Amino acid sequence: MRTPNSPKRYVELFAPSHSGKSMAITTYIEQKVVDEAIERGLFPADMPRSEIAAKQRIVLHVTLSPNASVRSLATDILRAFGDKNADVGTGPILLRRVYSYLNGTYEDPATGKEIGRQAELLILDEIQHLADSKAKSPEGKAIKSQKIESTVVTDTLKTMTIRGLVPMVFVGIPEARIHLSIDSQLTNRELSKIDFSPLRWSDEGDQVIFLEYCQEAAMKLTEFDLFPEETDLLDEEIPERLWAASGGCIGLVSRILEEAALHAVRRGASCVEYEDLELAVDTRAMPNNYVNYNPFREGVRQVEVVHDQ
């Protein structure tokens, strides 16, 4: 990672929508990378952590635009670096500027000495947007084919690993993995896959993570003055039923809780209660195929829930 211009490898993080992938990355940056940036003297310790997270460039979190192209890839990365002219220029010109940024270094303002590479990890989110990339003929016409082939974007990603700019993390839904696997030169540079499966209620460690998230989510309702009283998501049989309704996907827990909060507000409640969650499954979870029954009304079934988001 610290060896410049030597071939780099990548890590995969693929999981269903609403699994909490982007939130995990944001949390990692805010809780780990910010501390590293402060320790290196890049930002004062009294600066708000959210501001440091947004300004630091040690770990760059880039969300790919739909219908990804080489130009949009370069533009997305340049915007993450804060480049004011991120969309000015052709694809090759923008890509050269990306390489320059990724090879850049931080300097100590007092001594002018190099104190570290500007970017040490590049996280590319929403890799499934490569799925909309269309191959074109020399005349510029779209080529229709049932065969999935490497695109100029995946070729560019491969070149970036070969040139040894920085290690990368590719993030997306499971179906997007095929757009990386079609090129053996790229897949041979894979370091590992991060297991980001939905949390299992039968697994003690997963259950602890789920309960902690429920507690933190409930605290936010009071923290942001949405309700005068604290919401207790650990009461009665709520946790397991909420797990069943969300299929163990953290993002879906938030969507259900959002819906339940609206129902609680409409009835003038002082906090979110069991009946609000039950109704939220009817009005949000079931219509959107999070689950095909209401665990709050029927109890938890010993079968898999639906995950077709």
Side-chain angles (χ1 to χ4, degrees), residues 87-176:
D87 58 354
V88 178
T90 63
I93 290 176
L94 294 178
L95 200 56
R96 283 198 292 272
R97 284 165 54 196
V98 166
Y99 290 167
S100 178
Y101 270 111
L102 292 175
N103 277 316
T105 59
Y106 282 119
E107 291 185 353
D108 187 325
T111 64
K113 293 183 178 180
E114 179 182 320
I115 57 176
R117 289 178 62 84
Q118 183 163 353
E120 297 182 8
L121 180 66
L122 175 61
I123 301 175
L124 295 180
D125 208 342
E126 304 289 0
I127 286 293
Q128 62 269 19
H129 288 167
L130 297 180
D132 295 323
S133 299
K134 295 179 175 62
K136 293 186 177 180
S137 67
E139 294 77 23
K141 296 181 179 180
I143 299 173
K144 294 183 179 180
S145 173
Q146 297 301 315
K147 181 181 179 182
I148 295 178
E149 299 177 345
S150 62
T151 66
V152 288
V153 183
T154 53
D155 287 341
T156 299
L157 296 178
K158 176 178 64 180
T159 300
M160 290 173 69
T161 63
I162 294 173
R163 289 194 177 189
L165 297 173
V166 292
M168 290 186 280
V169 180
F170 298 141
V171 183
I173 59 175
E175 294 79 4

XYZ file of all heavy atoms in Angstrom, residues 87-176:
686
model
N -15.425 18.359 -14.450
C -16.094 17.933 -15.685
C -15.633 18.722 -16.909
O -16.315 18.754 -17.934
C -17.608 18.065 -15.531
C -18.044 19.490 -15.181
O -17.158 20.339 -14.943
O -19.259 19.736 -15.150
N -14.473 19.346 -16.813
C -13.944 20.134 -17.930
C -12.819 19.361 -18.611
O -11.761 19.121 -18.026
C -13.409 21.505 -17.446
C -12.827 22.282 -18.622
C -14.510 22.294 -16.766
N -13.059 18.942 -19.855
C -12.035 18.219 -20.596
C -12.538 16.883 -21.112
O -13.603 16.399 -20.725
N -11.752 16.266 -21.953
C -12.101 14.953 -22.500
C -11.767 13.864 -21.484
O -11.074 14.114 -20.492
C -11.318 14.683 -23.787
O -9.909 14.643 -23.477
C -11.577 15.773 -24.821
N -12.259 12.650 -21.758
C -11.998 11.532 -20.863
C -10.519 11.315 -20.582
O -10.107 11.242 -19.420
N -9.674 11.187 -21.623
C -8.238 10.966 -21.396
C -7.575 12.079 -20.592
O -6.724 11.827 -19.745
C -7.668 10.903 -22.817
C -8.815 10.411 -23.646
C -10.027 11.070 -23.045
N -7.983 13.334 -20.847
C -7.399 14.463 -20.110
C -7.793 14.399 -18.638
O -6.958 14.577 -17.740
C -7.848 15.802 -20.730
C -7.184 15.996 -22.100
C -7.516 16.968 -19.802
C -7.637 17.250 -22.829
N -9.071 14.128 -18.386
C -9.541 14.027 -17.005
C -8.869 12.862 -16.289
O -8.532 12.957 -15.106
C -11.058 13.858 -16.973
C -11.894 15.039 -17.476
C -13.382 14.697 -17.422
C -11.616 16.291 -16.649
N -8.672 11.757 -17.001
C -8.043 10.585 -16.394
C -6.596 10.874 -16.011
O -6.119 10.418 -14.962
C -8.115 9.400 -17.354
C -7.954 8.007 -16.750
C -8.988 7.767 -15.649
C -8.071 6.947 -17.823
N -5.892 11.641 -16.838
C -4.509 12.016 -16.497
C -4.484 12.851 -15.222
O -3.567 12.723 -14.402
C -3.865 12.775 -17.662
C -3.428 11.883 -18.810
C -2.428 12.588 -19.708
N -3.028 13.700 -20.429
C -3.625 13.592 -21.608
N -3.723 12.400 -22.193
N -4.125 14.647 -22.210
N -5.499 13.713 -15.060
C -5.564 14.513 -13.828
C -5.863 13.630 -12.625
O -5.363 13.862 -11.527
C -6.623 15.602 -13.981
C -6.127 16.754 -14.856
C -7.236 17.661 -15.314
N -8.045 18.175 -14.227
C -9.243 18.725 -14.426
N -9.756 18.796 -15.645
N -9.942 19.185 -13.403
N -6.682 12.590 -12.833
C -6.950 11.629 -11.759
C -5.653 10.959 -11.322
O -5.356 10.862 -10.124
C -7.965 10.558 -12.219
C -7.987 9.383 -11.238
C -9.350 11.156 -12.333
N -4.868 10.507 -12.298
C -3.596 9.855 -11.978
C -2.678 10.798 -11.211
O -1.974 10.386 -10.282
C -2.892 9.397 -13.263
C -3.554 8.237 -13.964
C -3.202 7.889 -15.258
C -4.555 7.493 -13.332
C -3.804 6.816 -15.914
C -5.163 6.433 -13.969
C -4.786 6.095 -15.259
O -5.384 5.035 -15.894
N -2.712 12.072 -11.601
C -1.872 13.061 -10.917
C -2.298 13.224 -9.462
O -1.459 13.275 -8.554
C -1.958 14.406 -11.641
O -1.205 15.397 -10.977
N -3.628 13.283 -9.235
C -4.150 13.391 -7.867
C -3.771 12.161 -7.045
O -3.323 12.273 -5.905
C -5.672 13.534 -7.884
C -6.171 14.957 -7.949
C -6.798 15.431 -9.103
C -6.056 15.813 -6.869
C -7.285 16.724 -9.172
C -6.542 17.114 -6.929
C -7.156 17.563 -8.080
O -7.633 18.849 -8.139
N -3.970 10.973 -7.629
C -3.715 9.738 -6.887
C -2.238 9.546 -6.583
O -1.868 8.865 -5.632
C -4.254 8.533 -7.672
C -5.778 8.458 -7.782
C -6.189 7.306 -8.680
C -6.418 8.302 -6.401
N -1.380 10.158 -7.394
C 0.064 10.091 -7.145
C 0.554 11.241 -6.276
O 1.723 11.313 -5.925
C 0.836 10.120 -8.469
C 0.917 8.754 -9.108
O 1.174 7.753 -8.425
N 0.675 8.678 -10.405
N -0.368 12.156 -5.936
C 0.008 13.337 -5.167
C 0.332 13.013 -3.715
O 0.022 11.937 -3.206
N 0.954 13.960 -3.051
C 1.348 13.778 -1.655
C 0.934 14.984 -0.825
O 0.678 16.070 -1.345
C 2.873 13.613 -1.527
O 3.512 14.774 -2.069
C 3.351 12.375 -2.263
N 0.853 14.761 0.481
C 0.638 15.850 1.428
C 2.003 16.421 1.802
O 2.996 15.696 1.900
C -0.015 15.333 2.700
C -1.499 15.074 2.601
C -2.009 13.803 2.815
C -2.395 16.106 2.343
C -3.375 13.547 2.763
C -3.762 15.870 2.282
C -4.235 14.594 2.494
O -5.575 14.356 2.449
N 2.049 17.715 2.035
C 3.277 18.351 2.512
C 3.012 19.048 3.833
O 1.941 19.625 4.035
C 3.811 19.365 1.488
C 4.345 18.727 0.215
C 4.970 19.761 -0.691
O 4.857 20.971 -0.383
O 5.578 19.376 -1.706
N 3.969 18.995 4.719
C 3.875 19.700 5.990
C 3.972 21.195 5.703
O 4.984 21.668 5.165
C 5.019 19.263 6.908
C 4.875 19.847 8.315
O 4.395 20.994 8.441
O 5.246 19.159 9.272
N 2.936 21.975 6.018
C 2.969 23.412 5.698
C 4.109 24.152 6.387
O 4.553 25.193 5.907
C 1.601 23.912 6.195
C 1.150 22.891 7.191
C 1.690 21.588 6.698
N 4.591 23.624 7.495
C 5.672 24.297 8.230
C 7.034 24.032 7.604
O 7.876 24.927 7.506
C 5.665 23.837 9.688
N 7.256 22.790 7.159
C 8.589 22.419 6.644
C 8.619 22.200 5.140
O 9.682 22.226 4.526
C 9.065 21.128 7.322
O 8.193 20.049 6.958
C 9.073 21.279 8.833
N 7.446 21.977 4.546
C 7.410 21.706 3.111
C 7.790 20.278 2.771
O 7.838 19.901 1.603
N 8.051 19.457 3.800
C 8.445 18.064 3.563
C 7.206 17.180 3.354
O 6.146 17.419 3.924
C 9.255 17.540 4.752
C 10.608 18.212 4.916
C 11.372 17.581 6.073
C 12.750 18.219 6.228
N 13.503 17.618 7.358
N 7.383 16.153 2.530
C 6.301 15.214 2.267
C 5.984 14.425 3.534
O 6.877 13.915 4.203
C 6.706 14.253 1.145
C 5.647 13.219 0.809
C 6.124 12.262 -0.270
O 6.787 12.727 -1.232
O 5.840 11.063 -0.152
N 4.692 14.342 3.877
C 4.308 13.617 5.088
C 3.326 12.474 4.786
O 2.733 11.900 5.681
C 3.672 14.554 6.134
C 2.457 15.294 5.552
C 4.679 15.531 6.659
C 1.728 16.153 6.572
N 3.166 12.134 3.523
C 2.310 10.994 3.189
C 1.598 11.173 1.867
O 1.453 12.295 1.371
N 1.226 10.054 1.281
C 0.485 10.108 0.030
C -0.888 10.727 0.267
O -1.502 10.524 1.307
C 0.321 8.703 -0.558
C 1.613 8.111 -1.105
C 1.371 6.702 -1.632
N 0.427 6.678 -2.742
C 0.747 6.900 -4.015
N 1.999 7.189 -4.332
N -0.154 6.836 -4.964
N -1.355 11.485 -0.713
C -2.642 12.149 -0.568
C -3.774 11.131 -0.501
O -4.708 11.286 0.271
C -2.870 13.107 -1.728
C -4.167 13.898 -1.601
C -4.188 15.110 -2.492
O -3.206 15.443 -3.106
N -5.322 15.784 -2.557
N -3.716 10.098 -1.317
C -4.739 9.056 -1.295
C -4.072 7.692 -1.150
O -3.116 7.385 -1.864
C -5.561 9.097 -2.572
N -4.561 6.899 -0.222
C -3.977 5.579 0.021
C -4.960 4.447 -0.258
O -4.572 3.289 -0.294
C -3.467 5.493 1.461
C -2.357 6.484 1.750
C -1.822 6.369 3.170
O -2.218 5.414 3.870
O -1.031 7.233 3.555
N -6.231 4.792 -0.445
C -7.236 3.792 -0.752
C -8.364 4.461 -1.523
O -8.835 5.535 -1.147
C -7.787 3.158 0.534
C -8.860 2.077 0.359
C -8.256 0.850 -0.326
C -9.457 1.685 1.711
N -8.806 3.807 -2.601
C -9.890 4.326 -3.421
C -11.057 3.341 -3.357
O -10.917 2.170 -3.728
C -9.427 4.501 -4.875
C -10.480 4.938 -5.904
C -11.060 6.293 -5.529
C -9.875 4.976 -7.301
N -12.204 3.816 -2.861
C -13.402 2.977 -2.767
C -14.377 3.410 -3.848
O -14.835 4.557 -3.865
C -14.064 3.114 -1.384
C -13.085 2.716 -0.278
C -15.326 2.257 -1.317
C -13.614 2.929 1.131
N -14.675 2.499 -4.767
C -15.607 2.791 -5.853
C -16.936 2.109 -5.548
O -17.036 0.876 -5.559
C -15.049 2.305 -7.190
C -13.782 3.011 -7.679
C -13.342 2.441 -9.009
C -14.007 4.515 -7.794
N -17.948 2.913 -5.280
C -19.269 2.429 -4.874
C -20.215 2.391 -6.080
O -20.028 3.132 -7.042
C -19.838 3.361 -3.800
C -20.792 2.661 -2.855
O -21.285 1.566 -3.200
O -21.059 3.204 -1.774
N -21.249 1.553 -5.988
C -22.256 1.393 -7.044
C -21.637 0.856 -8.331
O -21.894 1.358 -9.438
C -22.978 2.729 -7.320
C -23.631 3.360 -6.112
C -24.875 2.607 -5.624
O -25.231 1.585 -6.233
O -25.472 3.047 -4.623
N -20.817 -0.191 -8.201
C -20.177 -0.809 -9.357
C -21.208 -1.313 -10.363
O -20.915 -1.461 -11.554
C -19.251 -1.968 -8.893
C -17.985 -1.398 -8.250
C -18.863 -2.882 -10.044
C -17.077 -0.665 -9.217
N -22.438 -1.583 -9.911
C -23.470 -2.050 -10.830
C -23.772 -1.040 -11.928
O -24.370 -1.388 -12.953
C -24.766 -2.395 -10.089
C -25.429 -1.243 -9.372
C -24.960 -1.121 -7.930
O -23.913 -1.650 -7.559
N -25.740 -0.437 -7.115
N -23.352 0.208 -11.750
C -23.567 1.199 -12.793
C -22.743 0.908 -14.037
O -22.993 1.471 -15.099
C -23.261 2.605 -12.271
C -24.302 3.106 -11.318
N -24.118 4.222 -10.524
C -25.537 2.647 -11.012
C -25.202 4.420 -9.782
N -26.074 3.470 -10.066
N -21.763 0.004 -13.894
C -21.026 -0.442 -15.074
C -21.925 -1.267 -15.977
O -21.670 -1.422 -17.168
C -19.817 -1.303 -14.675
C -18.726 -0.638 -13.838
C -17.626 -1.638 -13.551
C -18.154 0.564 -14.563
N -23.007 -1.830 -15.407
C -23.903 -2.698 -16.168
C -24.574 -1.953 -17.310
O -24.990 -2.547 -18.291
C -24.970 -3.290 -15.249
N -24.697 -0.636 -17.176
C -25.364 0.147 -18.209
C -24.399 0.658 -19.277
O -24.810 1.318 -20.215
C -26.079 1.347 -17.574
C -27.202 0.899 -16.664
O -27.869 -0.092 -16.997
O -27.384 1.539 -15.626
N -23.104 0.349 -19.086
C -22.134 0.782 -20.080
C -22.391 0.030 -21.381
O -22.617 -1.174 -21.380
C -20.708 0.509 -19.601
O -20.446 1.211 -18.419
N -22.359 0.706 -22.499
C -22.622 0.073 -23.785
C -21.372 0.139 -24.660
O -20.767 1.193 -24.813
C -23.791 0.773 -24.491
C -25.126 0.635 -23.763
C -26.210 1.358 -24.515
C -27.569 1.127 -23.867
N -27.628 1.647 -22.491
N -21.006 -1.009 -25.210
C -19.879 -1.031 -26.133
C -20.290 -0.320 -27.420
O -21.454 -0.356 -27.826
C -19.487 -2.473 -26.434
N -19.350 0.341 -28.090
C -19.661 1.059 -29.316
C -18.711 0.672 -30.435
O -17.561 0.321 -30.203
C -19.605 2.583 -29.079
C -20.707 3.095 -28.152
C -20.678 4.600 -28.071
C -21.829 5.100 -27.189
N -21.820 6.582 -27.096
N -19.217 0.744 -31.632
C -18.402 0.455 -32.802
C -17.525 1.669 -33.102
O -17.746 2.748 -32.548
C -19.317 0.178 -34.001
O -20.015 1.361 -34.367
N -16.533 1.512 -34.006
C -15.696 2.671 -34.364
C -16.506 3.842 -34.892
O -16.083 4.989 -34.812
C -14.769 2.094 -35.442
C -14.676 0.637 -35.103
C -16.065 0.280 -34.613
N -17.714 3.546 -35.450
C -18.557 4.620 -35.972
C -19.378 5.297 -34.879
O -20.124 6.241 -35.132
C -19.520 4.064 -37.034
C -18.829 3.553 -38.302
C -18.201 2.192 -38.066
O -18.650 1.473 -37.141
O -17.243 1.859 -38.783
N -19.256 4.781 -33.640
C -19.976 5.386 -32.527
C -21.338 4.805 -32.284
O -22.099 5.306 -31.458
N -21.705 3.719 -32.991
C -23.010 3.101 -32.813
C -22.948 2.028 -31.735
O -21.963 1.308 -31.621
C -23.482 2.489 -34.132
C -23.704 3.516 -35.246
C -24.193 2.844 -36.519
C -24.435 3.873 -37.610
N -24.911 3.231 -38.876
N -24.039 1.936 -30.950
C -24.089 0.937 -29.888
C -24.097 -0.462 -30.472
O -24.735 -0.725 -31.493
C -25.334 1.153 -29.024
N -23.349 -1.364 -29.854
C -23.292 -2.749 -30.287
C -24.203 -3.575 -29.400
O -24.058 -3.591 -28.181
C -21.850 -3.306 -30.191
C -20.908 -2.494 -31.092
C -21.808 -4.779 -30.575
C -19.460 -2.872 -30.937
N -25.172 -4.259 -30.012
C -26.089 -5.109 -29.265
C -25.542 -6.523 -29.208
O -25.233 -7.118 -30.227
C -27.477 -5.101 -29.907
C -28.176 -3.746 -29.853
C -29.570 -3.829 -30.434
C -30.275 -2.486 -30.357
N -31.642 -2.551 -30.919
N -25.399 -7.045 -28.013
C -24.882 -8.396 -27.855
C -25.376 -8.982 -26.557
O -25.514 -8.276 -25.563
C -23.345 -8.387 -27.853
O -22.840 -9.662 -27.534
N -25.676 -10.292 -26.548
C -26.103 -10.972 -25.336
C -24.900 -11.339 -24.471
O -25.039 -11.712 -23.329
C -26.895 -12.240 -25.703
C -28.189 -11.946 -26.460
C -29.135 -11.067 -25.667
O -29.350 -11.283 -24.479
N -29.684 -10.058 -26.317
N -23.724 -11.252 -25.043
C -22.505 -11.623 -24.320
C -21.970 -10.439 -23.535
O -21.784 -9.352 -24.091
C -21.439 -12.113 -25.299
C -20.143 -12.544 -24.623
C -19.127 -12.991 -25.667
C -17.813 -13.400 -25.003
N -16.801 -13.795 -26.000
N -21.739 -10.649 -22.267
C -21.195 -9.571 -21.441
C -19.687 -9.529 -21.644
O -18.983 -10.522 -21.437
C -21.523 -9.791 -19.961
C -23.037 -9.706 -19.758
C -20.832 -8.756 -19.093
C -23.472 -9.951 -18.338
N -19.176 -8.399 -22.067
C -17.753 -8.254 -22.327
C -17.193 -7.121 -21.482
O -17.931 -6.307 -20.941
C -17.521 -7.982 -23.815
C -18.023 -9.100 -24.728
C -17.829 -8.757 -26.197
O -17.581 -7.568 -26.490
O -17.923 -9.662 -27.030
N -15.876 -7.088 -21.398
C -15.246 -6.010 -20.639
C -15.527 -4.691 -21.346
O -15.630 -4.623 -22.570
C -13.736 -6.240 -20.527
O -13.137 -6.242 -21.804
N -15.679 -3.646 -20.567
C -15.923 -2.328 -21.126
C -14.656 -1.492 -20.989
O -13.691 -1.904 -20.331
C -17.067 -1.628 -20.368
O -16.622 -1.369 -19.021
C -18.309 -2.493 -20.328
N -14.680 -0.325 -21.599
C -13.518 0.547 -21.474
C -13.332 0.960 -20.017
O -12.222 1.277 -19.587
C -13.671 1.798 -22.363
C -13.527 1.426 -23.820
C -15.007 2.482 -22.124
N -14.418 0.949 -19.245
C -14.314 1.327 -17.832
C -13.599 0.229 -17.035
O -12.692 0.511 -16.258
C -15.698 1.609 -17.220
C -15.553 2.062 -15.776
C -16.432 2.662 -18.020
N -14.004 -1.034 -17.233
C -13.319 -2.112 -16.512
C -11.869 -2.222 -16.974
O -10.982 -2.542 -16.178
C -14.037 -3.464 -16.710
O -14.203 -3.728 -18.112
C -15.401 -3.447 -16.044
N -11.628 -1.959 -18.248
C -10.239 -1.952 -18.743
C -9.437 -0.845 -18.051
O -8.257 -1.022 -17.728
C -10.207 -1.738 -20.261
C -10.657 -2.967 -21.031
O -10.651 -4.064 -20.446
O -11.031 -2.823 -22.211
N -10.090 0.292 -17.830
C -9.420 1.398 -17.146
C -9.106 1.038 -15.703
O -8.018 1.342 -15.198
C -10.308 2.662 -17.180
O -10.530 3.052 -18.540
C -9.646 3.810 -16.430
N -10.048 0.374 -15.017
C -9.818 -0.050 -13.635
C -8.638 -1.020 -13.576
O -7.812 -0.959 -12.659
C -11.073 -0.707 -13.062
C -12.310 0.197 -12.934
C -13.491 -0.598 -12.395
C -12.019 1.396 -12.034
N -8.585 -1.926 -14.546
C -7.468 -2.870 -14.599
C -6.143 -2.118 -14.782
O -5.153 -2.414 -14.105
C -7.674 -3.847 -15.755
C -6.523 -4.827 -15.964
C -6.829 -5.796 -17.091
C -6.952 -5.067 -18.417
N -7.242 -5.997 -19.533
N -6.154 -1.134 -15.678
C -4.938 -0.346 -15.912
C -4.512 0.396 -14.653
O -3.321 0.507 -14.348
C -5.171 0.660 -17.059
O -5.514 -0.054 -18.247
C -3.920 1.494 -17.307
N -5.497 0.893 -13.903
C -5.181 1.616 -12.673
C -4.505 0.707 -11.650
O -3.595 1.127 -10.938
C -6.454 2.225 -12.083
C -7.009 3.382 -12.906
S -8.629 3.981 -12.330
C -8.178 4.743 -10.772
N -4.930 -0.571 -11.580
C -4.266 -1.498 -10.651
C -2.861 -1.833 -11.136
O -1.937 -1.952 -10.342
C -5.085 -2.797 -10.492
O -5.159 -3.479 -11.751
C -6.480 -2.513 -9.981
N -2.695 -1.984 -12.455
C -1.381 -2.310 -13.011
C -0.396 -1.167 -12.809
O 0.774 -1.378 -12.487
C -1.503 -2.659 -14.510
C -2.302 -3.960 -14.684
C -0.124 -2.800 -15.151
C -2.619 -4.287 -16.129
N -0.886 0.047 -13.011
C -0.007 1.214 -12.841
C 0.365 1.445 -11.377
O 1.271 2.226 -11.076
C -0.676 2.471 -13.396
C -0.771 2.490 -14.910
C -1.127 3.881 -15.411
N -1.148 3.949 -16.858
C -1.257 5.081 -17.549
N -1.330 6.241 -16.897
N -1.282 5.071 -18.860
N -0.363 0.780 -10.496
C 0.004 0.862 -9.087
C -0.305 2.187 -8.437
O 0.495 2.713 -7.654
N -1.457 2.771 -8.756
C -1.821 4.051 -8.146
C -2.131 3.864 -6.665
O -1.372 4.274 -5.796
C -3.010 4.655 -8.890
C -2.734 4.985 -10.361
C -4.007 5.407 -11.061
C -1.679 6.081 -10.483
N -3.268 3.232 -6.360
C -3.625 2.926 -4.967
C -4.446 1.633 -4.960
O -5.064 1.282 -5.966
C -4.475 4.053 -4.321
C -3.667 5.309 -4.136
C -5.727 4.324 -5.145
N -4.492 0.930 -3.837
C -5.403 -0.221 -3.727
C -6.837 0.281 -3.842
O -7.127 1.439 -3.542
C -5.122 -0.773 -2.326
C -3.808 -0.205 -1.939
C -3.721 1.131 -2.606
N -7.742 -0.609 -4.258
C -9.134 -0.196 -4.441
C -10.088 -1.182 -3.781
O -9.743 -2.343 -3.559
C -9.462 -0.071 -5.931
C -8.771 1.097 -6.609
S -9.294 1.340 -8.336
C -8.314 0.095 -9.158
N -11.285 -0.690 -3.464
C -12.384 -1.516 -2.992
C -13.537 -1.306 -3.947
O -13.943 -0.164 -4.191
C -12.822 -1.147 -1.558
C -13.984 -2.036 -1.110
C -11.654 -1.290 -0.583
N -14.059 -2.387 -4.516
C -15.198 -2.313 -5.418
C -16.445 -2.709 -4.643
O -16.517 -3.799 -4.083
C -15.010 -3.236 -6.614
C -13.821 -2.885 -7.475
C -13.017 -3.870 -8.032
C -13.510 -1.563 -7.729
C -11.931 -3.546 -8.822
C -12.421 -1.220 -8.524
C -11.629 -2.223 -9.073
N -17.439 -1.825 -4.641
C -18.649 -2.023 -3.836
C -19.881 -2.017 -4.740
O -20.000 -1.175 -5.630
C -18.790 -0.899 -2.783
C -20.005 -1.142 -1.904
C -17.520 -0.801 -1.940
N -20.796 -2.957 -4.508
C -22.014 -2.981 -5.299
C -22.921 -4.127 -4.916
O -22.674 -4.832 -3.936
N -23.977 -4.318 -5.696
C -24.887 -5.431 -5.461
C -24.271 -6.694 -6.045
O -23.410 -6.623 -6.932
C -26.270 -5.159 -6.082
C -26.155 -4.919 -7.591
C -26.947 -3.977 -5.398
C -27.492 -4.752 -8.292
N -24.659 -7.886 -5.568
C -24.031 -9.142 -6.024
C -24.030 -9.314 -7.533
O -23.072 -9.852 -8.096
C -24.874 -10.213 -5.332
C -25.381 -9.557 -4.096
C -25.657 -8.126 -4.498
N -25.103 -8.876 -8.200
C -25.197 -9.062 -9.647
C -24.114 -8.305 -10.405
O -23.822 -8.617 -11.561
C -26.576 -8.601 -10.145
C -27.748 -9.438 -9.656
C -28.178 -9.114 -8.236
O -27.602 -8.164 -7.637
O -29.078 -9.792 -7.714
N -23.516 -7.328 -9.760
C -22.510 -6.510 -10.432
C -21.158 -7.204 -10.512
O -20.299 -6.798 -11.294
C -22.343 -5.177 -9.704
